[in-house]
Amino acid sequence: KCKFGFIKLSLFQMKLIEDSAELLCEMTGNPIPEVQWWFIEGEEHETMTQLFDGVREDRVGLNCRASNDPDRNKLKKAPKVKWIRSQANVIVFESQPMEVYNQTSAVLSCKLTHPPSTVKGYYWMRNGKVIESSKHNSPTLYTEHTGYLLVFVFSFSLANIDSHSGGLYECVFLSEPEVKTTIEVKTAPHVSAYKHSEHGNEKDKGVLVCVSYGYPLPTDWKWYKLEGEDKTAITNGTDRYEIKSTPNRTTLTIDDLDITMDIGDYICYGTSEVGSTSDKVHLRVRSRLAALWPFLGVVAEVIILVSIIFIYEKRRKPDEINDGK
């Protein structure tokens, strides 16, 4: 008596063009069953071709067939036990280009071959957020020259790429299951000082901040102090300097501000795999008594005003007494 059954099956895979796919069909039985692979073409399974080692054809649907009947391969004799089947689907998904690198404009395109189910529409996403203007309920459809494979294709145009338009773009096909892939749009980082003019009091802390936008964000930050035409690198953790950085922000803290040493211009540099950009911050350092000057000015004005009134009243009183006699 023949017994056999499936242990493991990989029924669905989605791969990008030029990737490799590995399909698993593991059987058990007594006696040991033979496993065959078949390539299926056409929506109605018009053509089925058995696959052997070394075959190089587009794999769209593969049929795993197994039997342990001794007569399974005798063409003129019906086997006692029928072949059992399990189908694995391989979806070919192509995106062009795979990556946009420091360009001023681009057209992103996605092409889906042999979708797992009816495609009801598509849309684009950027950094996880849906681009509302890209939503469509009926995708552009055309048929390959083979006459068998249905291909869905749609595009998204980036007319002016800057630091605010870089990021991870996903094209999403509305099918069951949902099919999507990602295109990276890379731009040089945009570095900007949080405030281009900062001030601090002598002996206090000075804090300078720069932020960055774009994709990818900087992987390295550096600070410099301008000394005339030259610039001096600031090393983190030395002297009175502390630098704290994340991909989109860097902070330079200067302890115990000195009115003669620390006043001046500072430059922050952000560097990513695409390039490096910078911005400048001017630091003003005030004397600790600077905050008292407005108060002292008001006090001086009051003293002067009181003095004027007192002198005026003192000179006016004798005249008033003479007029009364």
Side-chain angles (χ1 to χ4, degrees):
K1 185 177 181 180
C2 296
K3 295 181 179 180
F4 57 89
F6 290 107
I7 298 176
K8 294 180 181 179
L9 298 170
S10 56
L11 299 180
F12 173 82
Q13 285 196 38
M14 181 181 70
K15 293 291 183 178
L16 294 175
I17 192 169
E18 297 184 0
D19 282 353
S20 60
E22 181 177 329
L23 304 179
L24 175 65
C25 182
E26 187 174 338
M27 295 289 300
T28 183
N30 183 22
I32 298 173
E34 175 189 352
V35 177
Q36 296 178 359
W37 286 95
W38 294 72
F39 174 65
I40 302 174
E41 294 180 279
E43 288 295 310
E44 303 297 331
H45 295 182
E46 294 93 341
T47 305
M48 296 179 62
T49 306
Q50 187 174 355
L51 299 179
F52 301 94
D53 289 341
V55 174
R56 293 291 184 267
E57 296 185 18
D58 292 333
R59 279 118 170 111
V60 176
L62 296 181
N63 196 47
C64 173
R65 188 172 77 162
S67 175
N68 56 5
D69 192 318
D71 298 327
R72 59 187 177 273
N73 289 319
K74 293 182 179 180
L75 301 181
K76 295 183 179 180
K77 186 176 182 179
K80 300 181 181 66
V81 180
K82 293 183 178 181
W83 289 87
I84 63 173
R85 302 169 183 267
S86 177
Q87 182 167 310
N89 293 321
V90 176
I91 296 173
V92 181
F93 203 178
E94 179 182 0
S95 59
Q96 294 180 344
M98 298 293 292
E99 176 183 285
V100 176
Y101 188 89
N102 203 20
Q103 297 180 18
T104 57
S105 63
V107 176
L108 312 183
S109 178
C110 285
K111 183 165 67 175
L112 174 63
T113 302
H114 199 80
S117 66
T118 301
V119 176
K120 299 178 180 179
Y122 64 88
Y123 60 88
W124 285 87
M125 300 178 68
R126 176 179 173 269
N127 295 335
K129 295 183 179 180
V130 175
I131 302 174
E132 295 294 333
S133 62
S134 70
K135 287 184 175 180
H136 289 81
N137 293 325
S138 57
T140 303
L141 170 65
Y142 68 90
T143 305
E144 291 283 356
H145 296 299
T146 60
Y148 294 113
L149 302 180
L150 291 179
V151 178
F152 293 82
V153 60
F154 68 100
S155 301
F156 184 73
S157 179
L158 295 173
N160 183 22
I161 300 176
D162 57 20
S163 57
H164 295 284
S165 56
L168 294 175
Y169 286 79
E170 290 181 286
C171 53
V172 183
F173 285 95
L174 298 177
S175 60
E176 293 294 337
E178 191 177 80
V179 181
K180 60 184 178 180
T181 190
T182 302
I183 300 175
E184 292 185 282
V185 178
K186 298 181 177 181
T187 64
H190 175 74
V191 173
S192 176
Y194 185 70
K195 291 182 180 179
H196 288 94
S197 180
E198 290 281 3
H199 65 269
N201 294 323
E202 195 176 18
K203 303 299 181 181
D204 288 346
K205 284 186 178 181
V207 180
L208 310 180
V209 178
C210 284
V211 296
S212 179
Y213 307 96
Y215 179 85
L217 290 169
T219 55
D220 184 47
W221 287 97
K222 287 184 172 61
W223 282 91
Y224 297 88
K225 186 177 187 301
L226 286 179
E227 304 286 352
E229 296 296 326
D230 301 324
K231 59 184 181 182
T232 303
I234 297 175
T235 304
N236 187 29
T238 59
D239 197 9
R240 297 169 293 120
Y241 300 113
E242 181 183 16
I243 299 173
K244 292 184 178 180
S245 300
T246 61
N248 66 333
R249 182 186 179 98
T250 181
T251 302
L252 170 63
T253 302
I254 307 173
D255 289 331
D256 193 21
L257 285 174
D258 186 283
I259 198 169
T260 57
M261 293 175 53
D262 298 323
I263 192 170
D265 292 323
Y266 293 78
I267 298 178
C268 55
Y269 275 89
T271 303
S272 72
E273 63 181 83
V274 182
S276 178
T277 53
S278 64
D279 203 4
K280 184 167 61 175
V281 186
H282 182 74
L283 176 62
R284 294 181 175 87
V285 181
R286 301 177 299 190
S287 169
R288 293 184 65 86
L289 298 178
L292 295 177
W293 291 121
F295 174 74
L296 295 176
V298 172
V299 172
E301 289 178 359
V302 172
I303 293 174
I304 293 172
L305 181 59
V306 170
S307 300
I308 293 172
I309 295 173
F310 177 77
I311 294 171
Y312 174 76
E313 291 294 331
K314 185 175 181 181
R315 290 183 176 181
R316 191 168 62 87
K317 284 181 180 180
D319 295 338
E320 291 177 352
I321 294 174
N322 293 333
D323 292 343
K325 289 184 177 180

